[in-house]
Amino acid sequence: MKFTVADLLDQLPAEGSIDTGTLEKIFRLSNRSEKDSLQLAITGLEKIGVISRDGDAAVQRSEDEGLIEARLRCSSKGFCFAIREDGGEDIYIRDHQLNHAWNGDRVLVRITREGGRRRSPEGGVQCILERQTTSLLAHLDQQDDRWVALPLDDRLLATIEVPEGTEETSALVEVKVDRYPVAQFPARGHVARPLPLDAGPAGDRDLLLTKANLHERPDPPRSSLKAPNAKKRHDLTAQPALLLRSWRAELAPDLPAVHVEPHDGGTRLWIHSPTLAERLSPGNALDLWLRDQAEAICLGDVWQPLLTKALIDASRFAVGEAQDAISVRLDCSADGELRDWSFCLSRIQPVACVDAEALQALAARKPKARTVPAVLKPIKDQIGQLETLLFCARSLQADALRRGGIELDLPAPELESLGDLRDAWPDPGRHGWLPPFNPEDPQAILSLLLEAAARAWALHRQDLKLPALELRAPEADASSLTDVAKTAVALELPLELDDEGSPAASELAEVFRDSPFRRVLDQQLRQALPDPLFTLARSEEAEQGQEAKAVEAALAPWCCPSLQVADLINQQVITSLLLDGKDRPTVRHKDKVPLGDRGVGSRIDWPLFTQSLTQKVHDWFSDRLVQRLNARRRQVTDLQRDVVAMMQARSCEALVGQEHSGVISGVQSYGFFVEIPPSMVEGLVHVSSLNDDWYEYRSRQNRLVGRRHRRRFQLGDTVTVRIIKVDVLRNQIDLEVVPESLQPLPDDAAS
């Protein structure tokens, strides 16, 4: 079928109806079979109340507020929840109410039982809007003279029939889904290819991309690029702008250039982003292709770029070469407070590239040293600017923490094979928390600068009542934060709990900062923090007004269009503002207002754009776009997590049988997890391997305690373990405790 239910619903207008003939043209349905599938979909949606017919040939949306859009999240034990698109409470779905929906599918859910104080609401899947799984990793198994594929992902609670005559050619295969389960008929598919486990790093990357369903990248459409506007540009080529870069891989995304100088007791910071929006026609084939790709994907020392080669070559910043850019000037106080800003189109010429080696040499250099290290000699004229840049970044970090930011110390594992995944991510707001300030990582510094630029655009677009894609972190669940706080109390940290509610995440992070158990507590807190998600900030919302705190917390990223398409879309709005925005009521007025300056909204009492351009700008944004961007971000996040886990597991294969000292990073009733440096791989000591005693699980203290010998295993304890098994495919490490490391629990602490 050429369309999904989600595609069909997207084409229905918010008001009025649309002819089925028009839908056939939109979906390019040419033969009778394809047109019949559209009629079948319409009939089915009409029966469940999603749409209604307006005459014989037209359909329209039905106003059924009981149907809730959500995405399924299942566990290997059969528990499924519908995660609501509107951020409401998760809905528990029993297995007989799934209606053949799989983990990750977008669905329409109807609540069948309201939730209580300690119980989630329950519901049933009424319609599958969009399937996420089109191919999967599986093992083949012969059952009663037929072959079936058993998904490697145990969250997919299904088996897939494969054609007769299939032979087990590999321990692992990719299976394409040809038919999803319906009524009493199971899913059907075919084996696309075998996937060996011993094909080296390239084979591992291919396997993980297939697992994430990101291995098939469609070819970009042919499209000519536009030349950036030359008339309204500010010539900043004389400015000594710097490129800050930690990534080393060949196809790593290009990043902004920066310049900073002391100003009025604080700093004046310039951030220059590659201008991609001017080179594209919004809504054309290439623009839509980029929206489907959504993000560049890092696989360690290899990248799957977002942009086409033509776009990369046209927009790349290089030392000594003049290039068009879109820029913002930020004036910051000595405390990091954002005082003023101004957006403009520009032309720049970077003078140097600063990498991690240069910053490490700068950090090791004595303050009053007369000699310049060899690494710094190529950029010796910019040492003063680098020192000002470090001051600016430190002040911005301090300001972010004062505004309620959360600082967690969770560095990447020390594995050479991780490549670019070891470095700080320059995209601000990606994690929802801040790492400790690192003056030796260029991209860690750049991330702080870009956070200020993204915050400036969030405030500026609200002032001018413009739409934007914003990153917002949902509120952490209070019970989850309370559990983390109880863990800290059990470890005797100076934290008091009262009946008024759980402490804020920022308060917990502050308490953890000087604790010897900081890493394990930061890990616990990280798990309690929801990931930031894209939201659609509409212009009408700005007109109604928002709480100042919510606006201040929002980020509207625009500086890294080569890294994620959300930046490109926001950049398209900025470009339209600076090129096509009306800076005076009519051409007869001589006085113009600078549309890129802070506070300009109060000086404008005329339409900012023509009516047709206003409609075009709003057409660039949709709820469906936000859903797709968030879905792709979850895919990429899971993929990169799997890449790290597999590389950690690979590093452990040669260590089987060896003893290592580690820290207990999690305790459950079935055992405890131990994190082993320097790879920070996490393995499980199953309670069944603790055969010297009967161990009880004490959840409030996060510990296992032996009944007879009073030995304990508690979160944060150091323990010596032996690696006994490594399952690279499932990223599972089995450990056992070395008996000599067991310590008895004092009698007065056992209670």
Side-chain angles (χ1 to χ4, degrees):
M1 193 163 62
K2 290 186 175 182
F3 61 92
T4 66
V5 174
D7 294 331
L8 174 56
L9 296 180
D10 278 348
Q11 298 303 325
L12 301 184
E15 298 180 359
S17 60
I18 186 171
D19 292 336
T20 54
T22 304
L23 291 173
E24 291 173 355
K25 292 179 181 179
I26 292 174
F27 297 133
R28 298 180 181 178
L29 308 181
S30 56
N31 57 50
R32 174 52 55 188
S33 175
E34 292 174 343
K35 294 179 180 179
D36 287 344
S37 68
L38 175 61
Q39 292 298 330
L40 184 62
I42 291 173
T43 301
L45 292 173
E46 185 181 18
K47 286 183 177 180
I48 63 175
V50 177
I51 64 177
S52 61
R53 293 183 186 269
D54 183 12
D56 295 333
V59 293
Q60 60 187 8
R61 290 179 179 270
S62 296
E63 297 182 2
D64 189 343
E65 298 181 355
L67 291 174
I68 300 169
E69 286 195 21
R71 186 173 294 275
L72 278 186
R73 184 179 66 197
C74 301
S75 73
S76 58
K77 297 180 180 179
F79 301 111
C80 290
F81 285 88
I83 312 303
R84 298 175 59 157
E85 301 283 3
D86 58 9
E89 189 175 4
D90 297 347
I91 304 168
Y92 177 61
I93 310 292
R94 297 183 183 273
D95 54 358
H96 67 278
Q97 294 278 21
L98 284 172
N99 289 331
H100 297 305
W102 290 352
N103 178 65
D105 290 348
R106 280 187 59 220
V107 294
L108 285 177
V109 175
R110 190 182 298 278
I111 293 179
T112 57
R113 182 177 178 181
E114 296 295 334
R117 184 175 182 182
R118 297 186 179 180
R119 187 185 70 242
S120 298
E122 296 184 17
V125 174
Q126 303 298 301
C127 176
I128 299 173
L129 294 174
E130 191 172 35
R131 292 282 189 177
Q132 176 169 297
T133 304
T134 57
S135 68
L136 49 89
L137 297 180
H139 295 287
L140 295 180
D141 187 33
Q142 192 171 13
Q143 299 177 354
D144 300 329
D145 297 328
R146 68 189 182 107
W147 285 94
V148 297
L150 305 177
L152 178 67
D153 188 347
D154 51 13
R155 297 172 300 174
L156 295 177
L157 311 175
T159 58
I160 296 93
E161 287 187 353
V162 292
E164 295 181 5
T166 300
E167 297 182 359
E168 190 173 3
T169 57
S170 172
L172 194 66
V173 295
E174 178 193 356
V175 174
K176 294 274 191 179
V177 180
D178 298 323
R179 184 191 71 193
Y180 293 97
V182 58
Q184 72 272 27
F185 301 104
R188 291 190 62 86
H190 67 276
V191 176
R193 55 178 177 148
L195 288 166
L197 292 176
D198 54 357
D204 288 348
R205 288 193 294 268
D206 188 23
L207 189 150
L208 293 176
L209 281 169
T210 305
K211 178 183 176 183
N213 208 16
L214 291 170
H215 59 298
E216 294 182 338
R217 178 182 171 95
D219 294 330
R222 293 184 178 180
S223 180
S224 58
L225 304 181
K226 299 192 304 182
N229 187 292
K231 294 182 179 180
K232 296 187 176 183
R233 312 204 84 84
H234 293 246
D235 186 0
L236 301 177
T237 53
Q239 184 187 91
L242 303 175
L243 299 174
L244 303 180
R245 191 174 182 87
S246 306
W247 289 333
R248 296 161 293 279
E250 181 180 357
L251 293 176
D254 290 315
L255 298 174
V258 301
H259 171 71
V260 67
E261 57 192 29
H263 176 74
D264 195 20
T267 53
R268 170 162 285 180
L269 171 67
W270 287 86
I271 296 175
H272 311 291
S273 173
T275 179
L276 290 175
E278 290 183 83
R279 304 178 190 276
L280 294 171
S281 297
N284 72 356
L286 180 56
D287 183 54
L288 296 177
W289 181 87
L290 290 171
R291 290 181 177 221
D292 285 339
Q293 305 313 304
E295 293 193 26
I297 302 174
C298 180
L299 300 168
D301 55 359
V302 173
W303 280 81
Q304 189 180 89
L306 167 66
L307 305 181
T308 63
K309 186 178 185 302
L311 274 172
I312 294 173
D313 293 341
S315 61
R316 176 184 289 122
F317 286 164
V319 174
E321 297 182 10
Q323 181 59 278
D324 294 319
I326 179 170
S327 305
V328 65
R329 171 187 55 77
L330 303 172
D331 290 348
C332 305
S333 69
D335 296 329
E337 181 183 356
L338 195 56
R339 289 176 172 172
D340 193 18
W341 61 76
S342 179
F343 291 87
C344 69
L345 302 176
S346 64
R347 189 165 179 82
I348 68 166
Q349 185 169 316
V351 298
C353 182
V354 180
D355 57 17
E357 191 177 3
L359 289 182
Q360 290 165 6
L362 182 65
R365 182 171 178 254
K366 294 181 179 179
K368 296 183 179 180
R370 296 183 178 180
T371 58
V372 178
V375 175
L376 293 176
K377 285 184 178 179
I379 57 172
K380 63 179 181 180
D381 293 338
Q382 306 305 325
I383 290 178
Q385 184 182 176
L386 284 177
E387 291 173 343
T388 305
L389 193 67
L390 291 173
F391 169 80
C392 178
R394 280 194 183 92
S395 63
L396 289 173
Q397 170 110 346
D399 180 65
L401 294 177
R402 281 193 298 270
R403 290 185 285 107
I406 302 165
E407 183 180 281
L408 303 180
D409 189 10
L410 298 172
E414 297 179 13
L415 288 175
E416 191 71 26
S417 58
L418 284 179
D420 287 350
L421 285 174
R422 293 175 301 170
D423 302 310
W425 213 256
D427 175 21
R430 190 176 191 88
H431 303 297
W433 48 269
L434 297 168
F437 182 73
N438 182 1
E440 299 181 4
D441 187 335
Q443 290 175 188
I445 297 170
L446 183 62
S447 177
L448 293 167
L449 310 182
L450 299 189
E451 192 270 350
R455 193 154 46 92
W457 177 240
L459 295 167
H460 197 70
R461 76 94 202 158
Q462 193 214 20
D463 182 39
L464 292 176
K465 302 178 177 61
L466 294 172
L469 290 171
E470 293 185 345
L471 268 176
R472 293 179 182 270
E475 290 289 334
D477 181 67
S479 61
S480 299
L481 293 179
T482 299
D483 290 341
V484 177
K486 289 179 179 178
T487 300
V489 171
L491 293 173
E492 300 181 354
L493 266 65
L495 183 67
E496 294 183 2
L497 298 179
D498 52 40
D499 297 333
E500 296 181 0
S502 61
S506 56
E507 295 174 353
L508 291 173
E510 184 67 26
V511 173
F512 298 166
R513 182 175 299 179
D514 298 324
S515 167
F517 307 108
R518 178 176 185 178
R519 179 171 176 82
V520 294
L521 289 171
D522 278 359
Q523 287 174 320
Q524 301 276 321
L525 183 55
R526 170 66 187 92
Q527 294 173 5
L529 296 176
D531 291 327
L533 296 174
F534 285 112
T535 60
L536 177 52
R538 303 179 187 272
S539 57
E540 56 266 25
E541 293 174 355
E543 292 174 356
Q544 295 169 3
Q546 300 176 354
E547 294 183 6
K549 184 178 180 181
V551 174
E552 186 72 12
L555 296 177
W558 60 274
C559 299
C560 299
S562 59
L563 183 59
Q564 60 179 15
V565 79
D567 291 53
L568 172 59
I569 296 172
N570 282 337
Q571 199 178 91
Q572 288 172 334
V573 180
I574 302 175
T575 301
S576 297
L577 171 68
L578 299 177
L579 286 178
D580 303 316
K582 296 175 65 176
D583 54 8
R584 47 184 170 168
T586 66
V587 294
R588 292 190 297 271
H589 287 73
K590 295 183 179 180
D591 295 333
K592 300 179 181 180
V593 296
L595 297 180
D597 285 6
R598 178 181 184 178
V600 70
S602 61
R603 301 168 58 185
I604 297 176
D605 57 2
W606 58 87
L608 194 57
F609 297 129
T610 63
Q611 187 174 357
S612 61
L613 183 55
T614 298
Q615 186 59 48
K616 286 183 180 179
V617 170
H618 283 273
D619 288 345
W620 299 340
F621 300 88
S622 69
D623 292 330
R624 180 76 184 282
L625 170 66
V626 173
Q627 292 162 1
R628 285 184 171 179
L629 292 181
N630 285 328
R632 178 54 62 93
R633 170 158 287 202
R634 282 188 286 263
Q635 275 184 291
V636 173
T637 300
D638 290 344
L639 169 62
Q640 292 178 335
R641 188 181 296 118
D642 285 344
V643 170
V644 173
M646 176 166 275
M647 291 181 179
Q648 289 175 308
R650 288 292 190 195
S651 71
C652 275
E653 285 184 311
L655 306 179
V656 173
Q658 296 183 15
E659 297 178 4
H660 293 270
S661 178
V663 176
I664 296 178
S665 56
V667 183
Q668 298 293 334
S669 59
Y670 52 82
F672 56 89
F673 294 91
V674 178
E675 190 178 64
I676 304 172
S679 68
M680 311 313 290
V681 65
E682 199 173 50
L684 173 66
V685 177
H686 198 274
V687 71
S688 62
S689 69
L690 303 174
N691 51 21
D692 65 311
D693 204 341
W694 179 270
Y695 284 86
E696 296 178 340
Y697 174 52
R698 300 185 179 178
S699 59
R700 295 188 64 181
Q701 291 85 22
N702 270 278
R703 64 173 61 148
L704 290 172
V705 180
R707 285 184 178 180
R708 183 175 55 182
H709 300 301
R710 319 304 295 166
R711 295 191 179 105
R712 74 176 184 187
F713 298 98
Q714 179 171 308
L715 186 75
D717 286 351
T718 300
V719 63
T720 302
V721 294
R722 183 181 295 110
I723 301 173
I724 58 176
K725 183 181 178 181
V726 177
D727 186 339
V728 174
L729 195 57
R730 291 181 171 82
N731 301 320
Q732 294 177 354
I733 316 295
D734 292 341
L735 309 173
E736 65 180 6
V737 176
V738 177
E740 291 77 8
S741 67
L742 297 179
Q743 297 294 329
L745 179 68
D747 291 336
D748 58 349
S751 58

